[in-house]
Amino acid sequence: MNAGSLVAPDTSSRFAPDSPKMKQPLRVMKFGGTSVGDASCIARVAQILRDAAREGPIVAVVSAMSGVTNRLIEAATRSEAGDRDHAEAVFAALRKQHEAALATLVHDEGKKRQLAVHLEKLFSEGEELCKGTALLRELTPRTLDAISSLGERLSAPLVAGALCAQGVRSEAVESTELIVTDSYHGGADPIMDRTRERSEARLRPLLDQGILPVVTGFIGSTQDGILTTLGRGGSDYSATILGAAMSAGEVIIWTDVDGVLTADPRLVPDARTIPVISYREATELAYFGAKVLHPKTLRAVSQAGIPVWIRNTFAPERTGTKITPKGLSNGGGVKALTAISDVALITVGGPGIVGVPDVVGRTFSTTAQVHASVLMISQSSSQNDICFIVAASDAKRTVAALRKEFAQDVAHEKVEHITVDSTIAIVAVVGENMRGTPGVAGRTFNSLGRENVNIIAIAQGSSESNISFVVFQKDMKAALAATHREFGLSGPVVHDAVTKGS
Ligand code: ADP
Ligand code: ASP
Ligand code: MG
């Protein structure tokens, strides 16, 4: 399907395939929710793309407008509870928001009408899906994907429309046509060879004609054409998947901060931008909660070694952070900190546990069965307790599955308790060359001691590029501030450009 296909007349400053100006290899540029948050943001994005397109071919990938995915998910879950009014109110607000952006961005009456009809079809589709959900009082992962993906399907035609209005030939493309995934709804993974074939077949002819494709982030489809999503924040992953599929020279992730910073600037106000960072360091940060990058982002480009940039849509003159396979040693060990608080500590334990065969194996095959990703593990030497940490969203079903698995053992008092604690946070200290720097662990824990931060558990990966520890949520900010100071990571204040959340 052509998502609001709009191609402007061929009078623009667009790149042409054989233009002498074409210096750069293909670049994939992804814009997050805040970057496409309203009409003026989208106009800014169109300008960045127009300038970039003068230098070489570009594939754009866009997120939903800021806040939209959250509202769609809320509409879906409230519908499941039988509340039809809420979904109606959400769709009324979304219509208003997208129609206002359309009115500001596209002036040609014919094109505006064409786009309005396309957007209306998407709103109706969403409303129908919510009505069905309310009727059945059931929200399957497949339906949730269909509803939550509407934000990207709405924003991509708007961005393409804005580009056309600025004289850049552009076409919105739904990534269900490009990214082939497995059928794991809500967190699908790409099947790369099929994705490569489809992306080449669909995007290359557009690029060859000098048309800039604007692709929906976040979304893929199974081999049978069923829509899937790549997980929350997954548009970053969409960009690198397409970068790898199209053998791009680089992937640029445009967001609302200057790059990868030494810590989340919302938690550590004097965090500063890191100019170069390795795939591994960036992945560790993302895995432990640095929202600036989806944890799977670098997976797609690791084989080809394609560099990934993080840059600020609201300060495009700044260079940002370059993420490369090897990074750049900073000589001092620790490069950045991160923290994740929407996690839960699950404990399987009790004095009798020593007698239960294969508790560890059964525990983790259960977490695997329910697709819970385990962030940290700690086990006491006497085997009285196995503690591990999962995302808060995985906690309920993990505990339920464990209680089922160990029901017999609990009945016979071999397993005494399976408990969950949601008041904790993980803080991670990250730096690739920590390996050769003795004393990092000591300095970390001394600095926490000075601030009276109580440490609940500690883990250090064998890669020695990360030391992570568990603290109570109430101590998280103090733990970050203490370690940030201890490792001299502070610098000039980095201002968050706008308020956010997509
Ligand atoms: P987008 O909508 O562009 O995808 P996100 O909200 O997903 O943007 O990610 C950007 C946000 O990530 C920043 O606004 C910042 O608050 C947060 N963040 C967390 N940790 C870091 C970090 N180490 N460096 C930069 N940003 C970070
Ligand atoms: N819109 C999706 C989300 O909010 C994907 C993304 O923004 O990366 O999770
Ligand atoms: Mg994001």
Side-chain angles (χ1 to χ4, degrees):
M1 191 211 314
N2 270 9
S5 164
L6 261 190
V7 181
D10 192 4
T11 55
S12 68
S13 56
R14 69 179 176 83
F15 60 89
D18 52 357
S19 157
K21 277 188 177 167
M22 196 174 110
K23 307 168 213 110
Q24 294 257 17
L26 174 69
R27 285 175 292 167
V28 175
M29 292 194 167
K30 176 258 171 176
F31 295 87
T34 321
S35 301
V36 295
D38 60 22
S40 74
C41 294
I42 293 178
R44 182 188 281 275
V45 164
Q47 201 169 339
I48 291 174
L49 286 168
R50 189 184 61 183
D51 292 347
R54 289 203 181 103
E55 292 169 5
I58 306 287
V59 171
V61 175
V62 294
S63 289
M65 291 172 86
S66 180
V68 168
T69 313
N70 286 344
R71 273 182 279 154
L72 287 165
I73 291 172
E74 210 180 291
T77 49
R78 295 278 287 268
S79 297
E80 186 187 23
D83 178 354
R84 292 178 188 223
D85 295 347
H86 188 81
E88 253 173 54
V90 165
F91 280 99
L94 293 182
R95 270 196 181 86
K96 224 167 140 187
Q97 179 181 6
H98 289 80
E99 281 162 9
L102 174 62
T104 313
L105 292 165
V106 180
H107 307 293
D108 179 287
E109 285 305 324
K111 284 187 184 132
K112 204 186 288 186
R113 248 193 323 274
Q114 189 189 336
L115 264 173
V117 168
H118 180 71
L119 298 187
E120 185 46 44
K121 255 187 11 213
L122 296 172
F123 293 127
S124 307
E125 192 179 324
E127 281 170 332
E128 290 302 308
L129 285 164
C130 285
K131 270 187 205 149
T133 302
L135 205 62
L136 293 168
R137 298 278 179 109
E138 185 191 24
L139 180 61
T140 63
R142 177 172 162 176
T143 306
L144 180 59
D145 273 358
I147 296 171
S148 65
S149 60
L150 280 165
E152 275 71 10
R153 296 178 65 204
L154 290 163
S155 65
L158 281 179
V159 174
L163 279 164
C164 290
Q166 291 200 19
V168 182
R169 301 180 74 209
S170 176
E171 184 174 320
V173 179
E174 297 208 342
S175 47
T176 38
E177 293 186 67
L178 311 175
I179 298 179
V180 183
T181 71
D182 58 24
S183 57
Y184 191 69
H185 287 283
D189 271 307
I191 300 167
M192 279 313 287
D193 45 356
R194 296 287 296 122
T195 300
R196 207 167 279 120
E197 283 164 23
R198 287 217 194 159
S199 303
E200 274 293 336
R202 179 75 173 95
L203 299 180
R204 196 65 69 184
L206 295 179
L207 295 169
D208 287 346
Q209 293 170 67
I211 296 169
L212 196 159
V214 180
V215 180
T216 56
F218 188 44
I219 313 173
S221 77
T222 64
Q223 308 248 29
D224 306 329
I226 310 296
L227 186 145
T228 52
T229 64
L230 307 177
R232 294 306 308 271
S235 298
D236 299 331
Y237 195 24
S238 307
T240 50
I241 292 169
L242 290 175
M246 299 292 291
S247 304
E250 54 188 33
V251 175
I252 304 170
I253 293 176
W254 292 89
T255 182
D256 61 354
V257 281
D258 284 347
V260 178
L261 308 189
T262 49
D264 185 344
R266 285 177 294 187
L267 297 173
V268 181
D270 58 353
R272 65 177 144 74
T273 310
I274 303 168
V276 184
I277 192 167
S278 70
Y279 280 2
R280 179 184 265 173
E281 289 165 332
T283 300
E284 295 273 8
L285 287 172
Y287 187 73
F288 286 104
K291 199 185 165 214
V292 68
L293 210 61
H294 186 276
K296 290 181 186 168
T297 309
L298 297 164
R299 218 184 255 187
V301 288
S302 64
Q303 209 179 356
I306 300 169
V308 177
W309 289 86
I310 310 290
R311 297 189 60 186
N312 192 340
T313 307
F314 303 93
E317 70 285 358
R318 298 190 191 146
T319 33
T321 298
K322 187 176 188 181
I323 311 174
T324 66
K326 292 221 167 323
L328 194 70
S329 163
N330 64 350
V334 176
K335 203 165 255 177
L337 312 173
T338 184
I340 182 166
S341 57
D342 45 356
V343 290
L345 178 74
I346 296 177
T347 307
V348 177
I353 217 168
V354 187
V356 181
D358 199 20
V359 173
V360 178
R362 284 166 64 199
T363 299
F364 293 110
S365 59
T366 306
T367 61
Q369 268 161 31
V370 295
H371 282 266
S373 145
V374 177
L375 295 164
M376 236 178 106
I377 302 171
S378 142
Q379 185 188 349
S380 67
S381 52
S382 65
Q383 260 211 18
N384 277 350
D385 273 329
I386 298 164
C387 313
F388 59 94
I389 294 180
V390 297
S393 54
D394 293 343
K396 210 169 138 194
R397 67 172 194 281
T398 307
V399 169
L402 285 168
R403 291 204 170 124
K404 204 165 153 207
E405 169 66 31
F406 288 107
Q408 290 285 337
D409 307 285
V410 173
H412 296 115
E413 293 177 6
K414 286 179 179 164
V415 171
E416 195 178 74
H417 58 258
I418 297 169
T419 55
V420 57
D421 180 350
S422 303
T423 64
I424 53 109
I426 306 177
V427 176
V429 175
V430 172
E432 187 127 36
N433 54 356
M434 270 161 43
R435 184 180 297 128
T437 315
V440 172
R443 283 176 68 189
T444 303
F445 299 121
N446 277 337
S447 71
L448 296 173
R450 280 197 299 274
E451 298 294 324
N452 283 325
V453 173
N454 190 15
I455 302 166
I456 303 166
I458 301 171
Q460 176 170 356
S462 58
S463 71
E464 286 192 45
S465 57
N466 148 17
I467 296 170
S468 36
F469 50 92
V470 182
V471 296
F472 288 111
Q473 266 164 29
K474 65 176 175 55
D475 292 335
M476 181 179 84
K477 244 179 138 169
L480 284 168
T483 37
H484 204 261
R485 209 175 315 118
E486 174 66 30
F487 294 106
L489 299 177
S490 301
V493 176
V494 179
H495 293 286
D496 209 339
V498 241
T499 46
K500 55 160 356 287
S502 55

